[in-house]
Amino acid sequence: MKTYNFSAGPAVLANDVLRAASNSALEYAHSGMSILEMSHRSKTIVSLFDEATARTKDLLNIPEGYSVLWLQGGASLQFSMVPMNLLAEGGFADYLVTGSWSIKAVQECNKIGKANIVASSEDQNFSYIPKEFSQNIDSKYLHITSNNTIYGTQFKKFPKVSNTNGYLVADMSSDIFSRPINISEFGLIYAGAQKNLGPAGVTMVIIKDDILDERSKNLATMLDYKTHIKKSSMFNTPPVFSVFVVNETLKWIEKIGGLDKVAQLNKAKAGKIYQEIKRNNIFMSPIAKDDRSLMNVPFKYSHKSLEDSDFLDFCSKRNLYSLKGHRSVGGFRASIYNAMPEEGIDALVNAMQDFEKNIN
Ligand SMILES: *Cc1c(COP(=O)(O)O)cnc(C)c1O
């Protein structure tokens, strides 16, 4: 039986991508060397980075005036780098709190400037996206988490920033490249690769160049976006293999038809599971209907009396893995990123149906 990995991250990758990764680990670009051994200063690797950047710009339709960076430290380091680079000493920014990752972003901002929480959905265990809130007119930026990996909510429409000189900053770690977005609404987007793009070890940052101060802030060199813009993400030794895998994922996205097609597939895939949750008597969704994520689908037993039954064990016997919900939510979570094939969705839906029959 085929194995399907529903892990929230590191997560499923396309077969084409894994095959390319495996081949390149033995020999890359007819060099007689493994990609793992190659200098980042070599022509081959410099052009790999150029290619990954060009594909990113092309697939996301990034306008002039933005830089794409390949950094380390995960999305978690961006929680700090964003306010360090964008806020003046003691400056403030608005934050929309929609889950644990947003809370961490707020905590890091407060070490540098002041995070003004404009709204939070914590009152209902982050089961919805707040839509009505007022922003601070002087805030430098409005920070959002576009998809809440743990709770399974996702922005379907992005908020407008009220400060005319302000801009949106988004943590898109778990839904970048899952749908087309209008980049010009954003000043900065960051995403750790290990959800929808590749392996851990690289974080994509898309930044509008003119939001960075001309003046030097005397930041640590490695924490200054300008360092990485100037050196095309090669100031120090970059995570070459991770960027290679991301580039292969982007090629695969091109091959299946680009982001319009990917968005259509994601809608259909998630739709099948939400439909089954609705139909199935033993499961329910804890998430507000309009805000349900197409990437992470949490669900629970519909009755307390079911708590002793073992759906996870039932699934693992069918080689359906990593369906346990995050400890702060409980229940189950199916992470169905771009690379989860429709057959995996069908296998999960079948398991849900068979489990229901078993119980009755
Ligand atoms: C996984 C995740 C993070 C943390 O990413 P790291 O790369 O482990 O630092 C941050 N934000 C979101 C939305 C995530 O899904």
Side-chain angles (χ1 to χ4, degrees), residues 73-77 79 101 145 147-149 171-174 190 192 194-195 203:
S76 298
L77 183 59
F79 298 159
W101 296 119
T145 312
N147 182 73
N148 295 281
T149 325
D171 175 358
M172 289 199 186
S173 294
S174 52
Y190 59 93
Q194 72 274 22
K195 311 288 165 55
T203 307

Side-chain angles (χ1 to χ4, degrees), residues 41 179 262 276 307 322 338 344 357:
R41 308 283 176 211
R179 53 180 169 174
V262 163
E276 176 58 21
E307 301 285 337
S322 305
N338 290 348
K357 282 181 210 142

